[in-house]
Amino acid sequence: MLHRLTLLIAALLVAIPVTAVAATGQPVVVDTVAVGLNPRLGTFTPDYRFAYVSNAGSNTVSVLDARRRAVVATIPVGTFPYGVSFDRHGRFAYVANRDSDDVSVIDTEDRKVVKTIPVGDAPRLSATSPDGREIWLSSTGSNAVTVIGTRSQSVIATIPVGTAPRGISFAAGGRRAYVANSDSDTVSVVDTETRKVTATIPVGDEPRGILVTPDNRTVYVTNTIGGTVSVIDARRNAVTATITVGKNPRGLALHAGDRILYVTNSGSGTLNTVDTRTNKIVGEVKLGEDPRYTASGPGKRYIMVANTGSASVSFVTLDC
């Protein structure tokens, strides 16, 4: 009897369609939380207990309890905060302040700014290296990437890239970084050891968001003016497909299993989902006003999106 029951369970598990998530792909908003004015993006702490949201219009960072989805603290920072990244253990948060040309370093235990680091002109988006030892941020007005060492909490390198860089994404392993250059319509491929650009890839009109897949084979880039997403073959450093999405796309994220790509459209106030096998749109949902950049929750089971015009963040998952 036990053997027959075991076989029945095994058969049922095999019968469950593993492609169900990819087949539906319809996004749903499960919660919306008010934060400060003009939020640009949010980033989860490495343990996913909290999320830090940069409020460009308030010159503050909202700290959200990720489980309760509630604001638990508000921290004053520099002028027009934008990108937020954490060191390896999440002890310090690094907030790029676009209009004061500096980075606020927040002690996440005390939730206070403990240091201010001068950087290049108009720092915007940032990313933490896979080993957690460096914060890379795009100094848009300097046409460069500024590298901050998390041990010294100081600038340790400046890397010239294209014109007006925005999004930064690391390949798994950290040997390469990809930088979207909004005013030169290119992506710079940077060797993280030599800190030199090894390739320049033409993409669409005004690229901003960028995402490398976990297998390092594909790079997705949102072209804000073009209303498209460029799909780059990372082995050939060439665009292999262009996906038309909503107006003014910016943020990118992958759902669990990497079969569905999220794309936020700031001009449409929507989010599209794309099947990564076919490059076809499979779903859409309305968000708040002017949705910008995204952050993936634990296990990539949901994402958080900053709604700049609505002073809120939305939590989105798939209806499956």
Side-chain angles (χ1 to χ4, degrees), residues 289-303:
E289 185 179 346
D290 194 5
R292 296 292 181 102
Y293 296 99
T294 64
S296 294
K300 296 190 288 190
R301 295 187 297 273
Y302 66 86
I303 64 169

Side-chain angles (χ1 to χ4, degrees), residues 192-246:
T192 58
E193 291 187 4
T194 64
R195 305 197 192 281
K196 294 185 180 299
V197 174
T198 59
T200 301
I201 308 167
V203 289
D205 193 355
E206 198 171 299
R208 296 201 180 192
I210 192 163
L211 174 68
V212 185
T213 57
D215 61 9
N216 289 345
R217 294 183 176 182
T218 306
V219 182
Y220 294 102
V221 184
T222 52
N223 304 304
T224 302
I225 300 300
T228 60
V229 173
S230 293
V231 183
I232 297 172
D233 183 326
R235 291 166 292 186
R236 295 191 288 138
N237 286 333
V239 173
T240 57
T242 301
I243 308 166
T244 299
V245 289

